[in-house]
Amino acid sequence: MPAAQRREQLITVGRQLFAERGYDATSVEEVAARAKVSKPVVYEHFGGKEGLYAVVVDREVRALLDRIATALTAGHPRELLEQATLALLDYIDEEPHGFQVLVRNSPLLSASGNFSSVMNDVAHQAKYILGAEFKSRGLDPKLAELYSQALVGMVALVGQWWQEARKPKKEVVAAHLVNLAWNGLSHLEAKPDLLTRRVR
């Protein structure tokens, strides 16, 4: 097998094992055995388990961010919210191993290599969309980042739950998320207050 093809095979096997077992429970021996190669082949391509894991995570991060960026085609904020929500749920549905790799904790995850950091990137992009919408409605655009983090967090946590539950259907989940987010956003108060404690 050519080196490039072997490398892709090892990445595919590693992705599946990291998704199934997590980083700590996966060994170079397992990767080699499942790929039907010797351990030195894995070391030759990646330098070890850490190197293979870094490549797998990097690919998943890029795949998810690309999918979300590609999905954002409509101009209306509600349509953008729908598209981003469906893009994440589609990724969870179509790439379950990739999603598992991203949501599992690992001591090796860098600041740019886990699900939380990916969602942070998405929220950062959403901040600009919300900022423009806030400005057009007379709301403080500096608070757009807070709201983008809340929206993305809501979708991400529901996505993790839905990966296990698989009910209701993906489109129903997306519709309810968008309903909560959009109808909540459409009635924002310019100066919200708390009932139980004064906002300073």
Side-chain angles (χ1 to χ4, degrees), residues 7-175:
R7 180 177 171 82
E8 290 304 313
Q9 177 202 25
L10 292 170
I11 292 168
T12 300
V13 168
R15 179 182 188 243
Q16 185 173 7
L17 283 168
F18 292 132
E20 290 170 5
R21 303 175 47 86
Y23 175 81
D24 289 332
T26 299
S27 67
V28 170
E29 291 83 3
E30 271 184 293
V31 173
R34 200 172 281 189
K36 297 183 172 69
V37 299
S38 64
K39 283 183 357 184
V41 172
V42 178
Y43 286 107
E44 177 185 324
H45 284 277
F46 302 101
K49 179 170 82 166
E50 297 86 4
L52 174 59
Y53 187 76
V55 169
V56 169
V57 168
D58 183 61
R59 282 189 176 191
E60 292 308 320
V61 167
R62 281 188 283 125
L64 178 54
L65 288 175
D66 289 349
R67 187 181 285 245
I68 291 170
T70 301
L72 299 177
T73 59
H76 190 273
R78 181 182 171 126
E79 291 171 320
L80 291 167
L81 180 60
E82 288 178 12
Q83 292 163 353
T85 301
L86 282 167
L88 177 59
L89 293 175
D90 284 342
Y91 174 79
I92 292 168
D93 192 28
E94 296 164 14
E95 303 293 342
H97 285 128
F99 184 70
Q100 269 308 115
V101 167
L102 291 178
V103 297
R104 283 190 181 273
N105 291 326
S106 166
L108 291 179
L109 287 173
S110 68
S112 63
N114 62 26
F115 188 64
S116 176
S117 66
V118 173
M119 292 298 97
N120 224 10
D121 289 348
V122 172
H124 185 70
Q125 293 172 16
K127 169 178 81 171
Y128 298 107
I129 296 165
L130 280 179
E133 187 66 17
F134 277 26
K135 195 177 266 189
S136 75
R137 292 177 184 221
L139 300 169
D140 185 354
K142 288 182 275 180
L143 292 172
E145 186 167 14
L146 182 151
Y147 283 92
S148 67
Q149 289 287 339
L151 286 170
V152 169
M154 177 180 71
V155 174
L157 284 174
V158 170
Q160 285 182 278
W161 164 81
W162 181 74
Q163 183 189 31
E164 296 296 321
R166 291 297 176 167
K167 288 182 184 177
K169 289 186 343 187
K170 174 176 42 180
E171 291 76 12
V172 172
V173 172

Side-chain angles (χ1 to χ4, degrees), residues 78 81 130 133-134 137 139 147 150-151 154 175-190 192:
R78 181 182 171 126
L81 180 60
L130 280 179
E133 187 66 17
F134 277 26
R137 292 177 184 221
L139 300 169
Y147 283 92
L151 286 170
M154 177 180 71
H176 282 278
L177 282 168
V178 171
N179 181 42
L180 174 61
W182 185 255
N183 289 320
L185 286 174
S186 64
H187 295 96
L188 284 181
E189 299 170 342

